[in-house]
Each structure stands twice: as C-alpha cells, then as structure tokens.
Amino acid sequence: MAPSRREEIKRLQRGLDVLVIGGGITGAGVALDAATRGYSVGLVERRDYASATSSRSTKLVHGGIRYLPQGHLALVKEGVRERARLLRVAPHIVRPLRFIVPLYRETRRPLGVRIPALLAPFAPLGIRMGLTAYDFFARSPQLRHQSLSRARLREEAPDLRTEGLRAALAYYDARTDDVRLTHAVLATARAFGATTLNYADAVGIMRSGDATCGARVVDRQGGGTIEVGARFVVNATGIWGEQVASLERSPGFRIKHSSGAHAVLRPGSVKLSSALVIPETDDGRLAFIVPWAGRYVLGTTDDAYTGDLEAPAATGREIDYLIEHANRYLDRRIGRGDVTAAFSGVRPLVAASGPTAALARDHHVEVSPAGLISIVGGKLTGYRKMAEDTVDAIVSRDGGKRPCRTKDLELAGASGLAEAAAALAALPLAEDQRSHLLDWYGSRCMEIAGLIKGATGLAARLIPGAAQCRAEVIFSCRHEGSVSLADCMFLGTRIASVDAEAADSAAGTVAELMARELGWSPEEVAREREAYEARAEVERAWIRS
C-alpha cells in the first residue's frame, strides 16, 4: 500500500533537496534520476499523473525516422539509443514493433520528403538508405530493416492496397502505453525514496534572497496551502512550462504548442499484424496505424495549437483527415463508425519560426538567474536523457560528482515476470486478460492478482471486448493515487480512452468500486459521475463536428 496523502504532505513539508513540479513522463524521469543520485526528492502534479501530453501520444518509443531527411541526425541517434535502453530496462512495457512502409508509383513525398519527378524512380533506394542509417544508429542486429515480398506483405497486411505498389519495406521501433510507462518510472522513483503527490498545484516559487528555495503548493484534494522548501526546484510541466517559469521571472524560452489528434479504431476494422506507416499525406506529415490495447491508434496530425491547454480534444475535421489518408492505402475502407474513441495531445516545442510539423523534438534545459531549472521540449522516447541533462544541471550547481545511474536501471515491474505469469495462470482470467496485465504492469500485476484472489468478481471485465478488469480500479486507487472517477476512466484503466460508448456503461461500476475503496458518500458519487460526463463530452467534440 502506498503512503497516505497525509504522510506524503508531511514528507514534503520537511524540506527537500529537489522539488519537481510536473508529474508527466519528464517530471517522473527527473524525480527518478535525482533520487538515484542520492538527493531527497519530492514531486507535485496539479492534476493526475500523466494527465496531459504523457497520456496522449501515439504510443511509440521511436528514434524519429522522419527527422533523418530533415538532417536532425543527433536527435535520431539519441532517440534510437534511448529506445534500446527502454527495451532493456522495461521489457514488460516497451516492446519491439515492426513497421511496414509501402511505396507507390504516385508517392511524391515518402516519409515527408519531397522528391523531384526526375528522382522519383529512385525513391525506394533513398528510403532504404535512410533505413540503413537508422539501423546503423540503433546498432541492433535483431531489429534491422528488410524488403518485403508481395507474399510476405499479404500475410502481414492483408488489407493494404497493392495496386500501384512499387516496393514495401519493414523496419523496427517500439510500442508502449504512455501512462503505464509514466507510472513505472514513478514507482521506481518512490522505491528510491522520492515522495510524489498528485492534485497538488504549485502556485508560487519561494525565494530566499536572490535564490529559489521552494514552492507554495495548493492541496487540491484536502484544501489549504503548504510551503515546500527545496534547495533546487525543477519546472518539468511540459506545455505549461512558460506559465510555471513566469511564477519566478519572465522565462528565457518560448514554447510553441502543437496538437496531435488520434483516432482509436475498433478491433477488426483493419487487418494488420504490424504497424503501418501512411507513406504520404497532402501536407507532408507522417501518420501511422499502431496496435494498442486490443485496438489500433491512427495518428497523428501536427498543427499549431492556440486553444485551451486544459481540455484539448480531437475535432471532426482532424479525424476525417486521418481516415481519408488511411483509406488511400487500404482496400478495406474505414469510416467514422470504426472509431471507438479519439484524443488529442498538445506537444511543447521549443519555439522557432515556421510550421510546427517542421520543428524537431529537441529538449532544452534553462537555469534562471535565481536557480529555477526548466526542462522544455523533447518527446516521450527521450525522457530519460532529458532527466539526465536536468539533474546534471543540478549537480553542476551543487558541486561534487554524482553520476547518472539510470542508463541500465530496471523500471518497476521488469523483474519477476515468470513468477507473475504463473500467478495469473492460477486465476479465473482469459488469456487476453493475462497478457494485458503482464504487458501493462509487468510483475507489479502480482498486486492485482492478490486482489482478484482475495475478492470475488474482481476478475470481471470492465467493458466487453477489452481486457481491463475490475481489480485494476482498486490497484489504481491504492497504488497510483487515483481519486477521481474521470481520471480513473481515462488514465488509471484507460477504458474511456479505448471505447467511449462502452465506457459510459461501465462508469457506474467503476464509481461503485471507487466509492467502496475511498469511502465516497452518495453525493460524492453523483458529483464524480457528473465530472466524468462533462469530461467525456469534451473528449467527444469530434463527433459533433
């Protein structure tokens, strides 16, 4: 059982070496890196963990193949190496994923690269050269690109259009669930002594003389404001980075926001055993169809975003754009009726001139004159390196030598997988449920197995056709700080992110489970149901447009 909220608040009030503001993947990574170097660490998150960009990705851990033709070789090299590290330290959450790249006669901008008409016949050769460079940076003999025969292509992608097909290539990256990865990093940080608190809003930066010395934090659950003293304060708030930095002074960086819409497709809507690269879009972007949670994620768009950072949502225009481009390369057409859910994530890009699709996902560490350390930009795959660079800045200001220790550090749930599989095999679970629990929790699913063994009914599915079970709701409350029905539906269990309509039918069951666990009154249950319905209404904006 995780420490109580009251215990976590008391720990924060005792003072820290490092206070991290932001509980997405970047903040979680900073907390882990700092804790493993021997610092006392606290992390505060104004909403639930991974509630913003870190839950709204394309579910990929990748080097960024589109950055190769843009010349961002250092970014690609760093990305594929961080991918390799994650495959080693989190094999239960990060797994290799094969991508098919089809190339057609009419393709003029494969992978977003504009090719002059005279050079179009050589496009497959150019793509092969790029994939060879990708392999070289990765240095993984098992994950090398290859050409696919027509027969092999029919096996792996029977719904892929073959008319006009010139060549088909396959390469490797990796898949993950972004929320589960964030929680694995947070759990590992806590194992090294870090204190984490969600629904805790940093509203002011404290100073002693000319130096930053902590933050004032509002407890959004229990009420009241606490002062958290810290020798170093890290701003890891992603899309809110400028706003938080401005609590201390005018920031020396600017963030350009970009939105990325995704559609979740029902099972059977497309037949693919690998992920599919949409080889060309009208505006030169890259899009993918990626297996996730028993469904497929179709994404993503890349547009400048000036809307509400608190409530981004995919629009009907964006979903239609994705469907229209996917259908150009599928014999079996998909439509809005195949979309079971949709979401949009906002990316924090270090500002530059030009369209957001042309900006690379480089990260930047800035230290203000008073000592506030801000980590901005970056992408999911690079979170560990971003954290390393951030804590290096702390060590540099602190003096002494504290080397990074996370390069080969296993994340929570990575060891003991055989024992966990054996425990699940003894429970009344279907095979897809066992696979799901191992894939999302690793050996941490032993806690869920214990819940199922100790109470009847907790093995039941939350929604038909999806693998999540009732015990995951209890686990989310006890071990991951879940105290909101909406957040448990969208983040803790992901069921509302997988199938919006089916999730509505499960909301009552989830609310009942949480009410028993957290002691909600009937009035509180009603308020939580209303809050969930309001959140669901926002997320379904695409249906109404």
Side-chain angles (χ1 to χ4, degrees):
M1 184 77 72
S4 69
R5 188 173 184 85
R6 181 176 298 178
E7 290 171 331
E8 298 282 35
I9 289 173
K10 287 182 178 179
R11 290 181 183 179
L12 293 174
Q13 288 177 312
R14 295 188 192 115
L16 306 160
D17 291 325
V18 180
L19 173 64
V20 181
I21 303 173
I25 188 64
T26 304
V30 173
L32 173 57
D33 191 296
T36 58
R37 299 199 207 192
Y39 288 110
S40 60
V41 178
L43 177 148
V44 293
E45 162 58 46
R46 66 190 297 267
R47 295 165 66 183
D48 202 0
Y49 304 118
S51 57
T53 308
S54 295
S55 62
R56 294 167 174 267
S57 75
T58 316
K59 320 307 176 193
L60 297 179
V61 171
H62 64 115
I65 195 168
R66 77 179 180 90
Y67 303 131
L68 274 175
Q70 296 176 7
H72 299 293
L73 301 185
L75 182 63
V76 174
K77 182 178 180 180
E78 177 183 297
V80 294
R81 292 192 175 178
E82 289 303 311
R83 181 196 73 189
R85 287 193 175 102
L86 281 169
L87 286 167
R88 290 198 308 270
V89 305
H92 55 307
I93 306 174
V94 181
R95 295 172 179 266
L97 180 62
R98 183 179 173 94
F99 286 77
I100 295 173
V101 185
L103 298 173
Y104 295 86
R105 282 195 296 268
E106 72 270 19
T107 302
R108 290 293 177 266
R109 287 192 287 187
L111 304 185
V113 182
R114 185 181 293 278
I115 297 178
L118 288 175
L119 298 180
F122 303 100
L125 176 61
I127 299 300
R128 288 190 185 98
M129 291 174 62
L131 293 177
T132 298
Y134 207 58
D135 293 341
F136 175 78
F137 288 140
R139 297 180 182 177
S140 176
Q142 295 78 27
L143 304 179
R144 301 186 70 84
H145 85 279
Q146 59 187 229
S147 297
L148 297 179
S149 67
R150 291 291 182 108
R152 184 67 179 273
L153 192 62
R154 282 193 295 271
E155 291 177 6
E156 294 193 35
D159 284 344
L160 184 67
R161 174 170 69 85
T162 57
E163 181 185 356
L165 185 69
R166 296 179 60 196
L169 305 171
Y171 74 95
Y172 286 88
D173 265 319
R175 64 173 175 84
T176 192
D177 179 83
D178 40 19
V179 174
R180 299 317 325 159
L181 179 61
T182 302
H183 275 296
V185 177
L186 286 168
T188 313
R190 287 191 288 266
F192 279 89
T195 297
T196 64
L197 190 70
N198 55 357
Y199 306 102
D201 190 4
V203 296
I205 303 297
M206 297 161 49
R207 293 179 66 165
S208 176
D210 294 330
T212 297
C213 67
R216 288 183 295 279
V217 178
V218 172
D219 179 3
R220 297 179 66 188
Q221 280 296 304
T225 301
I226 61 175
E227 292 191 345
V228 182
R231 294 196 296 127
F232 302 98
V233 179
V234 175
N235 167 21
T237 54
I239 57 178
W240 290 281
E242 271 192 74
Q243 297 176 17
V244 172
S246 67
L247 294 175
E248 188 232 15
R249 63 185 289 275
S250 178
F253 60 89
R254 289 291 179 267
I255 291 176
K256 198 169 192 177
H257 295 120
S258 162
S259 66
H262 302 78
V264 181
L265 306 178
R266 64 175 176 81
S269 57
V270 60
K271 291 182 180 179
L272 293 170
S273 61
S274 302
L276 177 66
V277 178
I278 306 299
E280 182 179 37
T281 62
D282 291 341
D283 43 10
R285 302 167 177 165
L286 266 190
F288 304 92
I289 301 177
V290 178
W292 173 68
R295 312 283 170 116
Y296 293 94
V297 172
L298 168 60
T300 179
T301 59
D302 197 334
D303 295 303
Y305 184 77
T306 58
D308 185 1
L309 295 179
E310 299 287 345
T315 66
R317 177 186 60 81
E318 291 172 318
I319 298 305
D320 290 341
Y321 166 93
L322 291 170
I323 291 173
E324 195 273 329
H325 280 83
N327 281 335
R328 294 181 184 182
Y329 305 100
L330 298 173
D331 282 332
R332 177 189 298 194
R333 297 181 64 83
I334 57 176
R336 280 202 181 193
D338 293 305
V339 179
T340 60
F343 59 90
S344 181
V346 180
R347 309 176 187 93
L349 310 179
V350 180
S353 60
T356 58
L359 296 183
R361 307 309 192 226
D362 301 85
H363 65 270
H364 172 68
V365 178
E366 179 183 278
V367 183
S368 76
L372 177 66
I373 300 171
S374 295
I375 171 67
V376 294
K379 60 192 182 80
L380 177 74
T381 304
Y383 84 86
R384 193 214 60 83
K385 185 62 167 64
M386 294 167 65
E388 178 183 350
D389 291 349
T390 303
V391 182
D392 280 350
I394 293 174
V395 173
S396 177
R397 294 180 65 84
D398 198 26
K401 294 182 179 180
R402 299 196 189 201
C404 177
R405 302 181 183 278
T406 60
K407 291 180 181 178
D408 298 301
L409 178 68
E410 283 192 340
L411 296 185
S415 61
L417 296 178
E419 294 85 347
L424 294 176
L427 296 174
L429 294 166
E431 183 57 37
D432 67 314
Q433 291 180 295
R434 297 189 187 103
S435 297
H436 155 75
L437 291 172
L438 279 173
D439 283 353
W440 280 25
Y441 301 91
S443 59
R444 295 184 74 209
C445 74
M446 294 288 283
E447 298 283 353
I448 297 174
L451 292 170
I452 294 172
K453 190 174 181 180
T456 58
L458 291 184
R461 298 175 189 268
L462 286 170
I463 59 175
Q468 293 94 323
C469 67
R470 294 184 179 190
E472 291 176 69
V473 176
I474 308 302
F475 177 87
S476 183
C477 293
R478 292 186 184 180
H479 299 280
E480 297 180 342
S482 188
V483 293
S484 154
L485 174 61
D487 286 336
C488 190
M489 295 284 286
F490 282 95
L491 301 171
T493 64
R494 310 310 306 268
I495 57 175
S497 299
V498 170
D499 191 322
E501 184 177 344
D504 288 348
S505 65
T509 298
V510 176
E512 180 182 339
L513 290 165
M514 295 185 75
R516 288 204 300 263
E517 183 66 23
L518 302 175
W520 288 346
S521 67
E523 292 75 20
E524 288 173 310
V525 171
R527 284 196 296 270
E528 291 293 328
R529 289 291 300 269
E530 290 176 3
Y532 162 70
E533 290 165 4
R535 168 81 171 275
E537 185 72 9
V538 170
E539 296 288 348
R540 295 169 196 175
W542 67 274
I543 298 176
R544 303 184 299 275
S545 60

